[in-house]
Amino acid sequence: DSGVTQTPKHLITATGQRVTLRCSPRSGDLSVYWYQQSLDQGLQFLIQYYNGEERAKGNILERFSAQQFPDLHSELNLSSLELGDSALYFCASSGQGSSYNEQFFGPGTRLTVL
Amino acid sequence: AQKITQTQPGMFVQEKEAVTLDCTYDTSDQSYGLFWYKQPSSGEMIFLIYQGSYDEQNATEGRYSLNFQKARKSANLVISASQLGDSAMYFCAMRVRQAGTALIFGKGTTLSVSS
């Protein structure tokens, strides 16, 4: 158990819909990262938050947005969903207790868009 | 541009044998970190080992060691005495200082261990 929690574990929805994925980082970790894992794109970085502020952006679509709240949990919002958004979405955290700034991954949310 | 290349889509090994999973990287930054993660069929990502670009010695963590050859830009993972539970997807990843702290992943290598 990495200490990072993600909900829900599975999500099935239809094209055009909007969903919210939730992540709670390890206790004390200030950084939260979101990654998308799909068969065609592999594992790619979407966005990072540090202590409530956006720190870095990767290959995140404009239809996607994220935020980190004062209690450090984070939410990834995906809107106008398309079939190609079906993927495993990981949240990772780093900070306190990580010697090399290694990232600890949550179990992921598997999103299926029908 | 930063890139991680894993050229072996799949590897097969017998229990108790050693196996090397290849990883090459590309970056012009002098300060970077290299990571290996394991992803079993259940889907979670498990951190295995880390090597910093300024570390002179190869990293080791139990049965895992990282064969770091800086001049060749390679960071191969060596698993000694393979076990059935090692069957999984393995990802090599890189963090480059100038690009922040996010990880860049390779495509992964599927390792199958048989008895």
Side-chain angles (χ1 to χ4, degrees):
Chain A
D1 186 346
S2 67
V4 179
T5 60
Q6 287 187 249
T7 56
K9 192 162 182 160
H10 300 277
L11 198 49
I12 301 174
T13 189
T15 54
Q17 295 298 305
R18 174 190 169 95
V19 296
T20 297
L21 313 184
R22 183 188 168 102
C23 165
S24 292
R26 293 188 319 154
S27 178
D29 281 358
L30 299 180
S31 272
V32 168
Y33 306 79
W34 287 97
Y35 292 89
Q36 178 196 59
Q37 185 178 27
S38 61
L39 282 174
D40 52 345
Q41 300 286 340
L43 254 167
Q44 55 178 1
F45 166 65
L46 295 178
I47 196 165
Q48 178 201 358
Y49 276 80
Y50 178 83
N51 202 21
E53 302 275 332
E54 182 184 301
R55 179 60 67 92
K57 261 185 174 178
N59 296 325
I60 188 166
L61 299 171
E62 285 194 11
R63 301 183 286 108
F64 296 1
S65 64
Q67 54 185 330
Q68 187 179 27
F69 295 87
D71 67 352
L72 300 177
H73 91 270
S74 178
E75 292 180 356
L76 179 67
N77 300 295
L78 316 176
S79 62
S80 303
L81 285 167
E82 302 175 359
L83 295 177
D85 297 329
S86 295
L88 185 54
Y89 291 84
F90 284 108
C91 166
S93 75
S94 71
Q96 186 166 316
S98 63
S99 307
Y100 328 115
N101 202 39
E102 73 264 36
Q103 295 174 22
F104 296 89
F105 282 72
T109 293
R110 185 167 295 281
L111 173 67
T112 303
V113 183
L114 301 175
Chain B
Q2 290 83 24
K3 188 178 179 182
I4 291 281
T5 302
Q6 294 181 255
T7 57
Q8 306 154 314
M11 289 286 285
F12 298 87
V13 68
Q14 287 212 307
E15 258 186 313
K16 299 178 187 173
E17 289 183 350
V19 61
T20 298
L21 305 184
D22 293 342
C23 172
T24 57
Y25 59 92
D26 188 18
T27 180
S28 56
D29 203 320
Q30 297 303 308
S31 177
Y32 52 88
L34 298 157
F35 301 78
W36 278 92
Y37 282 83
K38 171 184 177 182
Q39 186 177 39
S41 57
S42 52
E44 73 263 38
M45 294 286 286
I46 302 166
F47 166 72
L48 294 178
I49 197 166
Y50 167 85
Q51 180 84 41
S53 58
Y54 295 118
D55 295 341
E56 293 187 354
Q57 292 205 323
N58 287 342
T60 59
E61 289 286 347
R63 295 185 299 110
Y64 304 108
S65 61
L66 199 152
N67 184 0
F68 181 46
Q69 297 187 43
K70 198 169 182 176
R72 297 179 62 183
K73 292 192 173 179
S74 75
N76 298 339
L77 177 70
V78 181
I79 305 175
S80 63
S82 298
Q83 301 172 356
L84 293 178
D86 293 334
S87 294
M89 179 80 95
Y90 288 80
F91 291 95
C92 181
M94 175 171 64
R95 183 191 68 237
V96 177
R97 179 188 296 223
Q98 65 179 351
T101 56
L103 295 175
I104 302 161
F105 285 89
K107 296 283 187 190
T109 296
T110 300
L111 176 65
S112 300
V113 182
S114 59
S115 56

